[in-house]
Amino acid sequence: GSCEKQGCTDPYSPEYDSEATKDDGSCSNNRTLSVKFSIENTICTDGQTGSLHSVNFSAFSWSYSFNAYPDVISVPLEKISDDMNVEKGENITISAERDNRNSGGSNGCGGANVLVEVYINDEVVETRTLDPGTWSSSGNTASFSYIIP
């Protein structure tokens, strides 16, 4: 009826109109994606607080790599990706790798989970905790696939 306001009703579309009640086809499938990676703390088998030697984060077309070996990166650590242009329905992979050691240099650290927050147009749409596992020479990566809403 006459009370309906036409416009874009897709909340993830840049053309979204919060007052629209009837979709008029004006929505685009474009999205702005960003991802925040956070590492809180690491606990070592000897009870010491751990540190990180290296991290690799990646999401879609963005990646961040930092290798401080044999030095260490202090935790907590937080890194936010650049804004990336993606399309609705696109399947992206998000991954995190980290190598943590304790201050004594042994490989006995674990528990360095990576909190991943996925943002579409600056709003959190997905939160995951990745556990890349304890350090190993063959690498320690955890990842997940995410379909852009």
Side-chain angles (χ1 to χ4, degrees), residues 11-12 18 25 34 47 51 61 66 68 79 101 106 113-114 117 137:
Y12 299 114
S18 60
S34 60
S51 300
S61 61
F66 187 86
K79 190 71 183 171
R101 309 281 175 93
S106 74
N113 287 344
V114 182
E117 293 169 282
S137 57

Side-chain angles (χ1 to χ4, degrees), residues 43-76:
I43 302 299
C44 303
T45 50
D46 55 12
Q48 290 181 302
T49 299
S51 300
L52 295 162
H53 276 324
S54 64
V55 295
N56 292 298
F57 300 142
S58 72
F60 191 57
S61 61
W62 176 88
S63 64
Y64 170 77
S65 200
F66 187 86
N67 190 342
Y69 184 83
D71 298 323
V72 292
I73 310 162
S74 62
V75 287

Side-chain angles (χ1 to χ4, degrees), residues 2 22 58 62 90 92 101 103 124 126 137 140 142 145-146:
S2 58
K22 184 172 169 60
S58 72
W62 176 88
E90 200 158 1
I92 64 164
R101 309 281 175 93
S103 52
V124 177
E126 180 83 6
S137 57
N140 41 331
S145 291
Y146 182 72

Side-chain angles (χ1 to χ4, degrees), residues 1-148:
S2 58
C3 295
E4 289 182 341
K5 181 177 189 310
Q6 294 208 349
C8 172
T9 59
D10 178 352
Y12 299 114
S13 177
E15 293 81 16
Y16 176 60
D17 180 351
S18 60
E19 295 176 4
T21 54
K22 184 172 169 60
D23 197 277
D24 63 0
S26 64
C27 301
S28 76
N29 289 329
N30 299 330
R31 309 282 189 260
T32 301
L33 167 76
S34 60
V35 180
K36 181 164 108 179
F37 296 87
S38 309
I39 297 178
E40 286 308 311
N41 206 347
T42 62
I43 302 299
C44 303
T45 50
D46 55 12
Q48 290 181 302
T49 299
S51 300
L52 295 162
H53 276 324
S54 64
V55 295
N56 292 298
F57 300 142
S58 72
F60 191 57
S61 61
W62 176 88
S63 64
Y64 170 77
S65 200
F66 187 86
N67 190 342
Y69 184 83
D71 298 323
V72 292
I73 310 162
S74 62
V75 287
L77 172 74
E78 186 177 283
K79 190 71 183 171
I80 300 172
S81 76
D82 298 334
D83 284 349
M84 295 167 274
N85 296 319
V86 292
E87 298 250 325
K88 179 180 181 176
E90 200 158 1
N91 192 344
I92 64 164
T93 299
I94 296 170
S95 70
E97 176 185 21
R98 52 104 190 98
D99 168 10
N100 34 292
R101 309 281 175 93
N102 68 14
S103 52
S106 74
N107 297 344
C109 289
N113 287 344
V114 182
L115 178 67
V116 178
E117 293 169 282
V118 180
Y119 292 79
I120 301 288
N121 306 335
D122 297 326
E123 259 183 68
V124 177
V125 293
E126 180 83 6
T127 303
R128 297 268 186 111
T129 301
L130 294 180
D131 179 6
T134 53
W135 186 87
S136 73
S137 57
S138 59
N140 41 331
T141 303
S143 64
F144 68 95
S145 291
Y146 182 72
I147 296 175
I148 302 297

